[in-house]
Amino acid sequence: MTTGQEYCIAGFMEGGRRQTAFRKEGSRLKSRVVIKSSKSGMCIILDPDCTFEELLSDISAKFRENARFWGSVQMALMLEGRELTAGEEFQIVNAITDNSSVEILCLIDNDANRIERCEKALNQKLMELSYRTGQFYRGDLHRGESIDSEASIVIIGDVLHGARVAARGNIIILGALKGSAHAGISGNEESVVVALEMAPLQLRIGGFSRQYGDKGRKLGKGAMTAFVENDNICTKPIKKSFLNMINFN
């Protein structure tokens, strides 16, 4: 006989395949991955004893087999049950978004240490990219100041109101963008602009331009990326491990 919790999880699976995400403990079956939804988003409870590869496989299978159930939605995600590195958290987000139409907007976490680890991992990765290309700037850009880069550029600081940054490649701002940014100045429309706080006066990518007024209104919560889609500049919260998709040459 199935417990109420096990019945709920089994209901997400299809026919004879529904036991693939379960393992035996004594005489009962226990799911390695338990998915719960709430008004604040989605919570995934992870088995602390199995391998991470097994968890990732189960997460991929559950979301792939039940993609129609979830539909196309945007959600915040909370991960519970075991300690995870920042890299493992990114892999879980990728597993969800690669196997469904669920878009993870952010990770909700009450663990301040884990939040700090995630930010540190992101900063380290961007630092590695900047050292490899040689395009790196530390400090704030104030009104009347500007930077032009012949490649992509990473700025550790804020681009404030009245400041400007331009690059032939991508622009990554580990701070607030409140001034103007022009990525892909050579006409590269595949370039992106990324900022931890996106509140620009103007964004330009390749030959496309978009004005946002002079009030410094935030375009969204948290880190955002701007890109060209259907001949328009669009902005979205960062999802997946976007760094793997960015060409920093």
Side-chain angles (χ1 to χ4, degrees):
M1 185 173 180
T2 321
T3 68
Q5 183 182 29
E6 289 170 341
Y7 178 81
C8 177
I9 298 303
F12 281 103
M13 310 304 287
E14 291 182 2
R17 301 184 62 188
R18 69 185 186 184
Q19 291 188 5
T20 57
F22 290 81
R23 63 185 177 86
K24 281 192 175 182
E25 283 196 351
S27 60
R28 63 190 291 267
L29 292 172
K30 180 181 178 182
S31 176
R32 290 190 291 241
V33 175
V34 177
I35 304 173
K36 297 181 178 180
S37 60
S38 66
K39 292 181 179 180
S40 59
M42 176 192 301
C43 177
I44 300 181
I45 303 173
L46 306 170
D47 190 322
D49 300 321
C50 66
T51 67
F52 179 74
E53 288 69 25
E54 288 174 322
L55 285 177
L56 208 59
S57 176
D58 287 357
I59 291 170
S60 298
K62 283 196 172 188
F63 280 90
R64 181 172 59 252
E65 294 168 2
N66 297 282
R68 184 177 296 180
F69 170 83
W70 290 107
S72 181
V73 294
Q74 295 180 326
M75 286 187 173
L77 175 66
M78 180 179 291
L79 300 172
E80 295 183 352
R82 65 189 282 159
E83 291 292 325
L84 296 167
T85 66
E88 288 172 339
E89 290 174 335
F90 277 127
Q91 289 184 64
I92 290 174
V93 172
N94 283 340
I96 294 171
T97 55
D98 287 344
N99 289 282
S100 70
S101 296
V102 175
E103 181 177 343
I104 302 301
L105 298 179
C106 64
L107 286 172
I108 300 175
D109 203 333
N110 295 323
D111 183 351
N113 290 330
R114 191 188 298 177
I115 295 172
E116 183 178 351
R117 289 199 304 272
C118 289
E119 292 178 347
K120 183 177 180 181
L122 176 61
N123 288 347
Q124 286 178 341
K125 180 64 176 178
L126 291 173
M127 289 285 286
E128 290 172 9
L129 291 169
S130 69
Y131 283 132
R132 199 159 62 228
T133 62
Q135 304 300 310
F136 168 78
Y137 180 84
R138 181 186 295 275
D140 297 337
L141 288 180
H142 298 273
R143 177 182 292 275
E145 296 180 330
S146 64
I147 289 181
D148 294 89
S149 172
E150 288 300 312
S152 296
I153 187 168
V154 176
I155 296 176
I156 311 296
D158 297 333
V159 178
L160 299 171
H161 193 284
R164 171 186 169 275
V165 57
R168 293 177 65 88
N170 306 296
I171 297 173
I172 310 294
I173 300 170
L174 296 182
L177 171 57
K178 298 181 179 180
S180 301
H182 186 179
I185 57 176
S186 60
N188 182 3
E189 296 170 2
E190 295 183 356
S191 298
V192 298
V193 178
V194 174
L196 298 187
E197 179 183 324
M198 188 77 78
L201 293 176
Q202 181 188 56
L203 286 176
R204 296 183 65 187
I205 298 177
F208 296 95
S209 177
R210 185 168 178 179
Q211 297 285 144
Y212 295 92
D214 58 359
K215 295 184 179 180
R217 181 177 61 86
K218 291 183 182 180
L219 302 184
K221 294 182 179 180
M224 305 279 293
T225 179
F227 55 95
V228 174
E229 183 176 79
N230 298 325
D231 294 337
N232 288 300
I233 293 180
C234 304
T235 55
K236 287 185 178 180
I238 290 176
K239 67 174 184 176
K240 302 186 179 182
S241 50
F242 75 98
L243 291 174
N244 295 331
M245 303 163 57
I246 300 177
N247 180 4
F248 269 73
N249 296 325

